[in-house]
Amino acid sequence: MNEDLILQHGLTLDEFKVIRKYLNRDLSIEELGIFSAMWNEHCCYKTSKKWLKKLPTDNEIVIQGPGENAGVIDLQDNDGIAFKIESHNHPSYIEPFNGSATGVGGILRDIFTMGARPIATLDSIRFGLIETEKTKYLLNGVVNGIGHYGNCIGIPNIGGECEFESTYDFNNLVNAMAVGHVQKDKIFYSKPKSIGGLIVYIGSKTGKDGIHGASMASDVFSEEDEDEKRPSVQVGDPFMEKLLMEGCLELMSSGLIESMQDMGAAGITSSSVEMASKGNVGVCINLDKVPLRQPLSAYEILLSESQERMLAVIDKKNNHKVREILQKWQIDYEVIGEITDTKRVVFESNNKKVVDLPVEIIVDDAPEYDREFYIPRKRKNKDFDFSKIKLEDMINNLLTNLNYLDKSWVFDQYDSTVMGDTIREPGQSSGIVKIHGTQKVIGASTDCNPLYIRINPYEGMKYTVAESYRNLIACNINPLAITNNLNFASPLDPNIMGELVLSIHGLKTAAIKFNTPIVSGNVSLYNQTNEIPIKPTPVIGMVGSNMDLNKINTNKFCEIGNKILILGKQLTKNFSPYLLQDQKITFNICEFNDLEVLDLDFEKKIANCVLELSDLKCIMSCNDISRGGIFSALLKMQYKDMGFKVKVPDPIDLFCEYSAGYVIEIRSKDFEEVTSFLTKKGAEYLEIGEVIKEGIEINSKKFDYFDIMNKYRNDFEKIIS
């Protein structure tokens, strides 16, 4: 083994020395490939796992936390919810259509591998500045890929986020989340239970697509690398995924499967190694029996990431029944090996062992680094000049910024109502679906505040979790648990490593306070191209529920004449980052003041008030206040011919961010009851105005309602075209 070959496989020379010393022999090229796949960041989390271990992952409703294909929480009455979010960033930059499509396919397999039927998907996508043709190409490819895969397989996309910022110019982010329903007594796991069980291959034939995909996702690259990396991107087939999903769910419901694992990153290598590790057993697999699309070497079979493939363990006596069911669904099936008691991973080809390794060295002895990290310096307070800013200019700044415009162009390409259980479609605070045949609803949202986290990773992460929390609360959904996707640049930079460490600490603090444990997730590092790092973008996917779909709040205005109240605490102008950035007061990251400390107890107090008032049917509509402040929240609440008339001490206040911020619409006749309730609870509120017909009025100044709403609803598509 020469040094160049070792480095090409993504291993450091020190890591290779550890392997060589443990085995006390040379490695085959296939074994080197296995370590390349299993010891990269994408599979073993060697940089982040020290810190991930500190996260809260359990409480009274958690059935399965991190470590399985997806997390599962208890929803009473034998109902469980499985969910997870994962990234497909590098593949979606190189091949936006296939990269994003296979990201959706992979996360769906993580869900139905647990025995859960997928009931919803969400996404979090970020791109560079729209002025470049490259960004337009990436945006169109990613949106088409997400829509194509989800629409073809027939799973509704119910929400997400789409934002644009210069640091994503050469490194767009594509995070896909899926939610599934499972009966608690029918959850499946990847841990094999019996020695001698047959290891079976289920799904599409194996090809060359995706080889070295996992290691490619664990490295930085430049634009010049694109063509070289293109073969590492998988190609998906959603129609095969539909057959695979139905076939696997039938096998599970028939009791014919002992354990199952998705062949995701690193393909048959990771799935078989993970099975062996979880079961404390060995595996012996004959690679010559793997169904192939084309002639492949043993090395290529081991590292292929071809899509729509599963590895399962069955009892020998069930072999015939399993084959019959999969033939009905037109799915390739082959017995390729068996579970052994050796605690070794053995792969054979052409009547010889090409891999023979202890599970221990691959999994338990995988590197865990304690990388150097820096804590950001404390920022000096700075006063900004707001004296020359005009209300008209502030409104215009929002309406010419893609991040504030209606994103219907994006989510209209996704089927959000297929399956017939969607209660709230994309574009509102959170997407909501009901559990089929019941009154129970599941709400989910994805959120991140990269600017906040760049300013102060610890406090910024608290704000991010709180925003996802508020998205659910605004819909009268009780937040339950979190899945997270930690997108960062190179951890070899101590500043970026500090962002990762402090963000995880902030996530821990907020999750404990809200009693929303982290049950699944993904870490995506090395998100930088041409040495340009992305802003830290740890995305929070939060899931919650309400047992009665009739109690769900709308986020849209309901009736002309209703009063508009504000709950929560406004961030002061000098400490409202998106106000400063998006109103063009400062763009220099060094000039921002530190974040105000977020009071999580206050967040909980106001949230509980919203939930109680919602259950009492006192709230007609509700929206959380986030980027763009009250004005942006009100704009999103427009419905049919309804506008708003408000009065505030300082118009700039309408554009500031909030903590525990909500806009609520109430009936005039309920005003005294609602305000008395809030006063009794010690909750701050402010009456600012009312819902009016076809108008936008601020401090008695009238604006062109139709012009503003036309720009808000239609300019996104005009700008990107």
Side-chain angles (χ1 to χ4, degrees):
M1 291 285 167
N2 62 59
E3 290 186 1
D4 285 345
L5 187 61
I6 294 165
L7 295 174
Q8 286 169 14
H9 279 75
L11 295 170
T12 68
L13 298 181
D14 286 339
E15 288 170 349
F16 182 77
K17 287 177 184 176
V18 170
I19 298 167
R20 182 71 176 74
K21 182 178 180 181
Y22 183 100
L23 297 176
N24 196 27
R25 64 172 173 80
D26 288 329
L27 278 71
S28 68
I29 186 64
E30 292 84 3
E31 289 172 335
L32 182 64
I34 283 183
F35 283 106
S36 169
M38 298 305 296
W39 278 26
N40 64 58
E41 295 281 3
H42 194 74
C43 290
C44 81
Y45 297 150
K46 56 189 176 186
T47 290
S48 57
K49 61 185 173 184
K50 170 185 176 178
W51 304 102
L52 294 173
K53 291 173 184 176
K54 299 178 183 297
L55 290 173
T57 59
D58 194 24
N59 68 3
E60 66 281 357
I61 66 165
V62 174
I63 298 172
Q64 175 63 54
E68 267 292 345
N69 289 290
V72 186
I73 58 174
D74 188 346
L75 212 62
Q76 303 176 19
D77 308 316
N78 202 32
D79 289 321
I81 294 297
F83 62 99
K84 188 180 184 182
I85 189 170
E86 280 201 339
S87 62
H88 234 219
N89 301 334
H90 285 11
S92 298
Y93 178 76
I94 297 167
E95 274 279 356
F97 180 85
N98 286 314
S100 60
T102 51
V104 175
I107 199 65
L108 289 173
R109 287 194 299 280
D110 283 337
I111 299 303
F112 70 75
T113 301
M114 300 296 295
R117 177 171 290 279
I119 58 174
T121 63
L122 300 92
D123 54 81
S124 174
I125 53 180
R126 281 178 168 80
F127 303 92
L129 298 179
I130 200 63
E131 288 79 6
T132 68
E133 288 303 314
K134 179 74 172 184
T135 294
K136 292 178 182 178
Y137 162 72
L138 292 170
L139 173 64
N140 277 279
V142 166
V143 171
N144 287 337
I146 292 171
H148 170 74
Y149 208 100
N151 295 353
C152 289
I153 197 172
I155 309 296
N157 184 302
I158 63 169
E161 55 178 352
C162 174
E163 293 197 341
F164 301 82
E165 208 266 346
S166 61
T167 63
Y168 307 104
D169 275 342
F170 303 103
N171 203 126
N172 55 307
L173 301 183
V174 177
N175 295 173
M177 177 177 170
V179 181
H181 171 241
V182 61
Q183 293 182 320
K184 289 187 292 186
D185 56 357
K186 294 184 179 178
I187 298 170
F188 273 78
Y189 301 95
S190 56
K191 177 181 177 180
K193 300 173 184 175
S194 55
I195 303 299
L198 299 181
I199 300 173
V200 298
Y201 178 112
I202 300 171
S204 296
K205 291 181 171 64
T206 296
K208 288 190 176 183
D209 49 320
I211 293 174
H212 287 301
S215 55
M216 181 267 290
S218 301
D219 194 11
V220 296
F221 58 94
S222 66
E223 287 181 282
E224 286 71 33
D225 292 334
E226 282 186 57
D227 290 336
E228 179 185 334
K229 302 284 189 183
R230 204 171 301 279
S232 297
V233 180
Q234 311 93 326
V235 178
D237 180 352
F239 299 108
M240 173 53 72
E241 177 109 339
K242 173 65 173 174
L243 296 174
L244 182 66
M245 178 177 74
E246 298 298 344
C248 288
L249 290 175
E250 182 175 343
L251 289 175
M252 291 171 172
S253 65
S254 302
L256 298 173
I257 295 288
E258 183 178 297
S259 66
M260 184 173 282
Q261 178 74 41
D262 165 37
M263 284 195 235
I268 198 170
T269 292
S270 65
S271 53
S272 56
V273 168
E274 287 172 18
M275 273 188 171
S277 176
K278 290 172 185 174
N280 198 27
V281 295
V283 297
C284 183
I285 292 175
N286 186 344
L287 296 176
D288 298 337
K289 294 185 177 182
V290 172
L292 303 178
R293 291 203 306 261
Q294 62 203 107
L296 298 178
S297 67
Y299 176 89
E300 291 171 322
I301 295 170
L302 284 168
L303 297 184
S304 169
E305 294 183 10
S306 293
Q307 296 290 284
E308 294 87 39
R309 302 180 302 159
M310 310 291 273
L311 204 64
V313 177
I314 67 170
D315 192 295
K316 290 180 180 178
K317 69 176 186 292
N318 293 328
N319 185 27
H320 182 68
K321 292 179 181 177
V322 171
R323 188 178 297 277
E324 280 187 336
I325 288 174
L326 294 175
Q327 281 179 341
K328 178 184 73 174
W329 289 104
Q330 303 174 47
I331 298 170
D332 278 323
Y333 169 78
E334 193 64 55
V335 177
I336 62 171
E338 68 176 57
I339 299 297
T340 68
D341 62 359
T342 62
K343 299 182 183 179
R344 300 183 73 84
V345 175
V346 176
F347 290 103
E348 299 173 342
S349 181
N350 294 322
N351 296 315
K352 67 176 184 178
K353 293 179 181 179
V354 294
V355 173
D356 187 356
L357 297 168
V359 176
E360 179 183 60
I361 179 65
I362 307 174
V363 179
D364 299 337
D365 292 346
E368 178 176 327
Y369 292 121
D370 186 6
R371 299 198 189 278
E372 180 184 19
F373 66 90
Y374 297 159
I375 294 176
R377 293 177 182 175
K378 188 165 180 62
R379 293 168 176 267
K380 295 180 180 179
N381 284 354
K382 179 180 176 66
D383 284 325
F384 295 94
D385 182 9
F386 295 91
S387 62
K388 297 178 182 178
I389 194 164
K390 296 179 181 178
L391 179 56
E392 292 84 354
D393 293 336
M394 298 186 79
I395 294 173
N396 185 63
N397 285 336
L398 262 59
L399 294 175
T400 54
N401 185 328
L402 278 181
N403 294 313
Y404 290 105
L405 299 180
D406 183 275
K407 305 295 194 310
S408 297
W409 178 88
V410 175
F411 54 75
D412 281 351
Q413 297 182 57
Y414 309 151
D415 191 334
S416 57
T417 59
V418 65
M419 298 177 72
D421 289 324
T422 304
I423 305 298
R424 289 282 181 273
E425 299 177 35
Q428 302 194 46
S429 288
S430 64
I432 303 175
V433 292
K434 70 175 180 177
I435 294 180
H436 191 72
T438 75
Q439 293 290 100
K440 294 180 184 177
V441 295
I442 304 300
S445 73
T446 57
D447 274 295
C448 187
N449 282 306
L451 177 59
Y452 280 38
I453 294 161
R454 172 55 58 82
I455 293 169
N456 184 324
Y458 174 71
E459 287 296 331
M461 195 63 180
K462 286 166 57 183
Y463 275 95
T464 292
V465 177
E467 182 173 337
S468 209
Y469 181 79
R470 290 195 297 267
N471 282 338
L472 297 180
I473 295 293
C475 296
N476 199 24
I477 296 288
N478 181 38
L480 296 175
I482 290 171
T483 183
N484 63 315
N485 206 136
L486 307 180
N487 304 279
F488 290 86
S490 172
L492 302 180
D493 180 336
N495 293 297
I496 290 165
M497 189 65 206
E499 292 174 345
L500 173 63
V501 171
L502 293 173
S503 293
I504 291 174
H505 187 38
L507 172 56
K508 173 185 175 181
T509 301
I512 291 173
K513 180 61 69 173
F514 293 146
N515 193 24
T516 50
I518 295 87
V519 300
S520 60
N522 174 243
V523 178
S524 175
L525 304 180
Y526 298 99
N527 285 290
Q528 60 188 63
T529 305
N530 299 340
E531 300 184 355
I532 300 172
I534 64 164
K535 274 194 173 81
T537 315
V539 174
I540 294 298
M542 192 174 287
V543 169
S545 71
N546 191 314
M547 297 300 165
D548 185 355
L549 64 85
N550 295 309
K551 291 184 177 181
I552 297 303
N553 287 336
T554 179
N555 302 134
K556 302 293 185 182
F557 286 141
C558 293
E559 189 175 333
I560 292 169
N562 282 344
K563 291 184 178 295
I564 299 172
L565 270 62
I566 303 300
L567 304 181
K569 182 181 179 183
Q570 176 191 316
L571 303 188
T572 53
K573 292 190 284 289
N574 286 323
F575 296 85
S576 185
Y578 283 112
L579 168 73
L580 297 170
Q581 174 189 273
D582 297 338
Q583 293 301 335
K584 304 177 182 179
I585 294 166
T586 184
F587 297 98
N588 187 340
I589 196 67
C590 297
E591 289 189 359
F592 288 93
N593 290 318
D594 210 338
L595 297 179
E596 292 183 349
V597 174
L598 183 63
D599 185 341
L600 295 172
D601 288 316
F602 180 67
E603 286 278 352
K604 285 184 65 176
K605 180 171 76 170
I606 301 300
N608 288 334
C609 288
V610 174
L611 294 177
E612 287 188 54
L613 287 171
S614 300
D615 284 344
L616 292 170
K617 299 287 187 180
C618 290
I619 291 180
M620 299 297 291
S621 70
C622 181
N623 200 10
D624 66 295
I625 303 171
S626 55
R627 183 174 183 174
I630 295 170
F631 184 85
S632 181
L634 289 170
L635 213 55
K636 293 174 185 176
M637 296 176 79
Q638 307 301 300
Y639 184 63
K640 294 184 177 177
D641 62 347
M642 286 176 270
F644 58 87
K645 177 171 68 174
V646 298
K647 193 168 186 177
V648 292
D650 182 352
I652 297 176
D653 294 344
L654 290 174
F655 300 85
C656 291
E657 293 106 271
Y658 264 66
S659 62
Y662 301 88
V663 177
I664 63 171
E665 174 194 0
I666 64 172
R667 292 175 291 248
S668 296
K669 69 181 183 68
D670 294 331
F671 180 76
E672 188 174 332
E673 179 184 354
V674 169
T675 54
S676 295
F677 172 89
L678 293 171
T679 301
K680 183 179 179 181
K681 295 288 185 179
E684 299 179 33
Y685 72 90
L686 180 68
E687 180 192 357
I688 64 166
E690 63 179 292
V691 180
I692 62 174
K693 182 177 181 179
E694 295 178 347
I696 292 178
E697 186 176 323
I698 300 171
N699 289 3
S700 301
K701 183 176 179 61
K702 295 182 179 180
F703 293 84
D704 189 329
Y705 171 82
F706 296 102
D707 179 60
I708 288 176
M709 295 314 300
N710 178 58
K711 289 177 178 176
Y712 172 69
R713 289 173 177 151
N714 301 315
D715 276 13
F716 183 88
E717 185 171 357
K718 290 179 183 177
I719 292 170
I720 65 170
S721 297

